[in-house]
Amino acid sequence: MNKTIEAALNQQINAELHSAYTYLAMSAHFAEKDFDGFSTWMRMQAQEELAHAMKLYDYVLERGGHVALETVAAPAKKLGTPLKIFETALAHEKKITGMIHDLYELARKNKDYATENQLNWFVTEQVEEEDSAGRAVEQLKRAGDNMSALLMLDQQFGARSSE
Ligand code: OFO
């Protein structure tokens, strides 16, 4: 496997683990504030991120590459209101989309069709990721400071099974 692509895939594994860490911190924050539904949503999101990391991890190994695990950066400590948190999540997903697209471009430039094919799944997944975070932001904007609307959303988000 091309060493530049291997390094970029390892960097993406690290980014996905950081995403998991980020959402786990958000989940803990919501649990501490008794928003159990938002907490569940974020916890499931963290699990999905771990699955993204493992998908790339398995792929690197399958290609006979080397998995190099590096330090995972700590998530933000100050999180803010539910709206602010979901806005942060949306911005984070947009950043990840950019990283996936750069990786895709790199695979294409190096004629690594297998990696390009593997990344197709991630390109599609990012459309979903941005959509679900974006919808959450819109719903929270509509709820504003209305506590009963927020609690209703909290309950609704807690019903998330998977996405
Ligand atoms: Fe949230 O999609 Fe992976 O990082």
Side-chain angles (χ1 to χ4, degrees):
M1 172 179 229
N2 174 309
K3 286 290 158 199
T4 312
I5 292 181
E6 183 186 274
L9 287 170
N10 273 305
Q11 203 180 12
Q12 193 62 37
I13 290 172
N14 187 273
E16 299 296 339
L17 290 172
H18 175 66
S19 296
Y21 228 34
T22 297
Y23 292 126
L24 206 52
M26 290 172 173
S27 176
H29 174 85
F30 279 131
E32 285 161 21
K33 302 279 178 203
D34 294 323
F35 281 124
D36 292 342
F38 295 145
S39 176
T40 299
W41 196 98
M42 286 295 178
R43 190 181 175 122
M44 295 194 71
Q45 188 64 28
Q47 277 161 1
E48 273 200 12
E49 299 301 353
L50 188 57
H52 294 171
M54 293 313 291
K55 206 172 173 71
L56 293 169
Y57 169 104
D58 285 336
Y59 175 69
V60 171
L61 292 177
E62 209 180 342
R63 290 287 307 276
H66 171 64
V67 170
L69 296 176
E70 302 294 341
T71 306
V72 179
K77 301 265 185 296
K78 283 215 155 56
L79 294 172
T81 62
L83 173 60
K84 178 87 189 73
I85 292 173
F86 276 91
E87 279 175 341
T88 304
L90 177 59
H92 181 77
E93 287 307 329
K94 286 184 175 168
K95 194 176 127 207
I96 295 293
T97 300
M99 288 181 78
I100 294 290
H101 290 176
D102 287 349
L103 201 45
Y104 196 95
E105 202 57 46
L106 184 73
R108 183 162 277 192
K109 214 175 76 196
N110 285 277
K111 296 190 182 345
D112 184 341
Y113 304 118
T115 297
E116 203 177 308
N117 195 38
Q118 177 73 10
L119 289 171
N120 277 325
W121 184 90
F122 284 88
V123 171
T124 308
E125 176 68 7
Q126 281 313 117
V127 174
E128 262 184 46
E129 293 278 79
E130 285 192 29
D131 181 51
S132 58
R135 273 185 292 124
V137 166
E138 286 315 310
Q139 286 170 314
L140 282 160
K141 272 186 187 162
R142 275 202 299 269
D145 290 333
N146 183 326
M147 194 43 85
S148 16
L150 269 179
L151 289 175
M152 237 164 74
L153 278 183
D154 181 53
Q155 205 173 34
Q156 193 182 310
F157 279 45
R160 172 182 179 170
S161 46
S162 69
E163 246 171 72

